Amino acid sequence: MQISDLPYPDPGVPDARSGPRFLLWLGRGQLGGQLKSLCWGMLHFGGVAGLPYAVGLGIDAVVDGEANRLLLVGGLLVLIGVAISVGDAMLHRTAVTNWITAAARVQQLLARKTAELGSALTRRVAAGEVVAVSTGDVEKIGWFVEAVSRFLAAVFSIVLVCVGLMFYAPELGVVVAVGVPVVALASLPLLPRATRRADIQREKAGKATELASDTVAGLRVLRGIGGEELFLGRYREASQEVRKAAVRSARMWALISAIQVVLPGLLLITVVWYGASLALDGRIAVGELVAAFSAVATLLYPLRHFEEIAMAYSFSRPSAQRAARVLSLTRTDAAERPEQAGPVEEPAAGGDLYDPRTGLLAPAGRFTAVVCGDPDLAGRLAERLGGHAMEEQDADPDGDAGRSGDGERNLKRDQERDQERDQERDRGPAAKDGPSVLLGGVALDDLELDAARRLVLVQDKDPVLLSGTLRELFDVPASGAVDSGAALAAAQCADVLDALLQSAPDGVDDAMDARITERGRSLSGGQRQRLALARSLVTDPEVLVLDEPTSAVDSHTEARIADGIAGLRAGRTTVVLASSPLLLDRAERVVLIAGGTVAAVGTHRELLHREPLYRAVVTRETDEEQRLAGLGMTELEEALTEIEESA
């Protein structure tokens, strides 16, 4: 794979059981590139290793006065110089290619997983963490993949130097052969501590990134409540924690670097002192002494790659662990069930939508409203109806206090959770989410992802508008039965179009060509919500699931939107999760969910009269108001008298 061939046609199925396994999977996928880099590295480092011996041969030729041998040595030095230059250039080229292709593969995997999970992803992983994984972590993973081939080539050159000295100058070769492994492995006991400190730094940096991302996303709200300084202080504390962790980590790596400088220096002094005594005794020639000195001096270069590979692995391992955690997530636990014997056919048009877990039935072609009372339960039910349901995120017993506590404790807790998830996955299929939602009798989890997305569209309560023109916003996969004008009219977007046209630069005469800023930040919450609703209506899916689509608009606009949805979606299956009486009154069928299951079914007016719980949720009645509503006239007068006396 070359850089010009990117992106990968298929990045493959990663081994996401752990960080090291994920790194090993990446390495196996780039064996060709690693072998090329290794060969060029062996040429480069082989030239570096052979340079001292050529210098030693040249000095011996000068001492012996052999001009012909000196010319041969000169030609050999030229060849070695060419090998070093070409090998270095190609090693850098192939190593960087390995780095970029590995990073690109990881980014493609993350992008594919993000598209697969949709909005359910942020219930398991914070948005800031996803950004950190797809940026900084990807670079660290690519760094390790790049460093492997250089490290192996450096090991080859070190072995070549040691073996060569054993034959060229046996007395000095023994000293070098014993000293080099000691120098190379001296910092090994410090690596676990350095790795832990690097993990703590990465954890704190990730949490600071999450905090910054969340703060920026909610900046408009923070300004409204005057909370900017509060969150600025929290981020300042988090950044200081990152700085302290980075300093502690840097100290340990500085100690390892110092060892890599001091010990080779001591080895060089030992070789020079011992070699000089041998030369004075006449046991070795001057050329052999110079060759041994040069060989040990050149070893400082390949020995640095031992430190580099240790640093690359220490930084990439937690990054790979976080990437593997994201890549191991699935739409539902049902994805772990054995595969079907053959492809599953798409359900025929006009099938009912049924959730076995709650008992919710949305008849085909009808407008069904669902009342939950709990916004979180409604959001999870909406995701489940779209086939995006996921296992809920584990609760953090420490809450925000754990974020600013001891880094090693937090890191250990995260590692224990990862191990528990791995063990649970190894035990086999789980049944936390229960059976899959059925559409026309076919389980959504058994369908191909593209087919499930095409059949069922879910709009959550906080839809995202990407930057671009309004025309680009509506350029989405659709049946073609609903045009943008009809969808905008149904969503009551006339004032939004006027506002966009007024703020558009001169020369823009069509509101569809007006630009929307990132996430629609220049629009109000109600305007963003209505544009997102219009976009969903344009797609005209078989089943449309809307979670509180009018929570940010006024009651008059909400009533017109309810009529618009009912009219535009006539004959199509529509499920709206809401508690607004205006929406519920337009629905053909209303379902009350209580305790996680269907508690009552009927029309809005029927449920208002016969279901106290439904009335309490929709009208926001208090317990005292419900009690008074159920009393007779005499009992009501007595209750009012008691209230007046107590007042």
Side-chain angles (χ1 to χ4, degrees):
M1 172 65 71
Q2 298 297 321
I3 296 178
S4 59
D5 298 328
L6 294 174
Y8 283 91
D10 181 10
V13 180
D15 186 348
R17 288 176 290 178
S18 66
R21 289 177 182 269
F22 180 60
L23 290 174
L24 182 61
W25 176 83
L26 276 179
R28 287 202 306 266
Q30 291 187 295
L31 287 179
Q34 293 288 355
L35 288 176
K36 289 180 182 179
S37 186
L38 178 59
C39 291
W40 288 115
M42 291 172 65
L43 176 63
H44 170 66
F45 284 105
V48 172
L51 188 61
Y53 305 112
V55 172
L57 292 175
I59 292 176
D60 287 338
V62 172
V63 172
D64 296 338
E66 297 181 3
N68 292 334
R69 186 151 61 107
L70 184 60
L71 289 175
L72 291 175
V73 172
L76 179 60
L77 286 172
V78 171
L79 291 177
I80 290 176
V82 172
I84 293 175
S85 300
V86 174
D88 188 25
M90 296 306 297
L91 171 61
H92 178 74
R93 179 184 178 88
T94 54
V96 170
T97 298
N98 290 335
W99 179 13
I100 294 176
T101 52
R105 183 190 291 267
V106 177
Q107 285 183 325
Q108 282 188 247
L109 291 170
L110 291 171
R112 185 175 68 182
K113 181 60 65 174
T114 302
E116 175 186 339
L117 300 179
S119 60
L121 174 62
T122 53
R123 292 214 305 271
R124 290 293 307 276
V125 183
E129 182 71 7
V130 176
V131 173
V133 170
S134 59
T135 54
D137 284 338
V138 166
E139 292 187 3
K140 292 180 177 65
I141 293 171
W143 177 27
F144 175 73
V145 173
E146 173 206 10
V148 168
S149 55
R150 286 207 308 271
F151 168 71
L152 294 176
V155 171
F156 165 77
S157 68
I158 291 173
V159 173
L160 188 62
V161 168
C162 293
V163 172
L165 276 180
M166 291 291 292
F167 288 96
Y168 188 73
E171 294 88 347
L172 293 176
V174 172
V175 176
V176 174
V178 173
V180 166
V182 174
V183 172
L185 302 177
S187 58
L188 191 61
L190 300 177
L191 289 180
R193 181 175 297 180
T195 301
R196 284 196 300 272
R197 292 189 179 184
D199 289 350
I200 294 172
Q201 176 193 354
R202 172 62 184 81
E203 180 211 14
K204 292 182 178 296
K207 293 188 181 300
T209 303
E210 293 176 30
L211 180 59
S213 177
D214 294 341
T215 302
V216 171
L219 189 59
R220 192 169 185 172
V221 178
L222 292 177
R223 286 175 176 170
I225 63 176
E228 291 176 274
E229 290 299 325
L230 173 63
F231 276 80
L232 181 61
R234 290 181 59 186
Y235 181 73
R236 186 181 294 112
E237 293 176 2
S239 64
Q240 288 300 314
E241 291 291 330
V242 175
R243 181 188 62 81
K244 293 176 182 178
V247 170
R248 293 185 72 246
S249 178
R251 285 174 180 168
M252 184 57 63
W253 288 111
L255 178 59
I256 293 175
S257 299
I259 292 174
Q260 293 294 322
V261 172
V262 172
L263 292 185
L266 294 176
L267 177 61
L268 185 61
I269 293 173
T270 301
V271 169
V272 171
W273 174 79
Y274 182 57
S277 63
L278 292 178
L280 290 175
D281 294 340
R283 296 167 60 183
I284 62 172
V286 176
E288 293 176 339
L289 174 60
V290 173
F293 169 79
S294 301
V296 176
T298 56
L299 283 178
L300 297 178
Y301 172 50
L303 281 173
R304 285 204 299 267
H305 289 79
F306 281 79
E307 177 189 356
E308 182 192 15
I309 195 66
M311 291 184 66
Y313 181 73
S314 298
F315 283 99
S316 66
R317 186 184 61 80
S319 296
Q321 181 66 38
R322 288 168 175 81
R325 182 185 306 173
V326 175
L327 295 175
S328 64
L329 300 177
T330 56
R331 280 199 298 157
T332 61
D333 291 328
E336 298 179 357
R337 296 197 300 262
E339 296 184 358
Q340 300 288 336
V344 178
E345 295 184 2
E346 293 187 18
D352 296 340
L353 183 69
Y354 176 67
D355 179 17
R357 183 176 183 182
T358 61
L360 172 64
L361 173 66
R366 299 184 66 183
F367 184 180
T368 302
V370 180
V371 177
C372 291
D374 181 0
D376 292 335
L377 175 60
R380 292 194 297 270
L381 178 58
E383 295 291 346
R384 180 173 171 78
L385 292 177
H388 309 311
M390 293 179 59
E391 176 186 346
E392 296 181 38
Q393 187 172 5
D394 297 333
D396 186 355
D398 296 330
D400 290 338
R403 293 180 178 268
S404 58
D406 180 59
E408 293 194 22
R409 184 192 63 201
N410 294 339
L411 177 63
K412 183 178 180 181
R413 184 180 66 241
D414 290 343
Q415 292 174 343
E416 290 175 352
R417 289 177 184 172
D418 292 338
Q419 292 176 359
E420 291 175 359
R421 291 191 186 101
D422 292 340
Q423 292 172 0
E424 183 177 343
R425 186 161 55 245
D426 292 339
R427 283 196 296 267
K432 293 182 180 179
D433 282 333
S436 169
V437 171
L438 305 177
L439 177 59
V442 179
L444 289 181
D445 289 340
D446 293 337
L447 295 174
E448 292 292 334
L449 180 60
D450 292 341
R453 290 281 175 85
R454 185 174 63 255
L455 292 170
V456 183
L457 173 66
V458 177
Q459 177 183 303
D460 60 21
K461 59 173 61 69
D462 187 22
V464 175
L465 301 181
L466 301 179
S467 59
T469 65
L470 194 58
R471 195 180 307 278
E472 292 171 341
L473 177 68
F474 287 93
D475 186 15
V476 292
S479 66
V482 179
D483 58 33
S484 58
L488 288 167
Q492 300 299 310
C493 293
D495 63 316
V496 184
L497 299 179
D498 293 339
L500 288 174
L501 194 56
Q502 290 176 4
S503 61
D506 295 338
V508 178
D509 300 325
D510 189 349
M512 297 299 292
D513 295 323
R515 294 195 63 83
I516 300 174
T517 58
E518 180 186 2
R519 299 180 68 90
R521 298 190 191 280
S522 60
L523 303 173
S524 67
Q527 290 173 329
R528 288 197 302 270
Q529 196 172 58
R530 282 178 283 162
L531 283 179
L533 174 60
R535 179 181 58 186
S536 299
L537 294 174
V538 162
T539 60
D540 188 39
E542 181 74 19
V543 178
L544 177 61
V545 180
L546 303 172
D547 185 7
E548 294 289 356
T550 58
S551 59
V553 301
D554 59 83
S555 57
H556 297 289
T557 305
E558 185 177 28
R560 292 195 296 269
I561 291 176
D563 291 334
I565 294 175
L568 196 63
R569 293 286 300 174
R572 306 287 276 171
T573 307
T574 306
V575 180
V576 177
L577 293 98
S579 58
S580 167
L582 294 174
L583 272 175
L584 298 173
D585 193 40
R586 266 68 171 184
E588 301 174 71
R589 191 170 186 267
V590 180
V591 180
L592 173 64
I593 302 291
T597 58
V598 173
V601 179
T603 65
H604 170 61
R605 299 179 187 275
E606 291 173 351
L607 295 179
L608 273 179
H609 287 90
R610 75 167 190 256
E611 293 292 337
L613 178 58
Y614 179 84
R615 184 168 59 249
V617 173
V618 174
T619 64
R620 276 74 171 177
E621 285 184 348
T622 63
D623 294 340
E624 183 65 19
E625 290 172 336
Q626 292 184 55
R627 187 180 71 83
L628 293 176
L631 297 178
M633 183 58 66
T634 303
E635 295 172 329
L636 181 59
E637 292 177 352
E638 294 176 355
L640 291 175
T641 302
E642 292 178 1
I643 294 175
E644 291 176 356
E645 291 176 353
S646 62

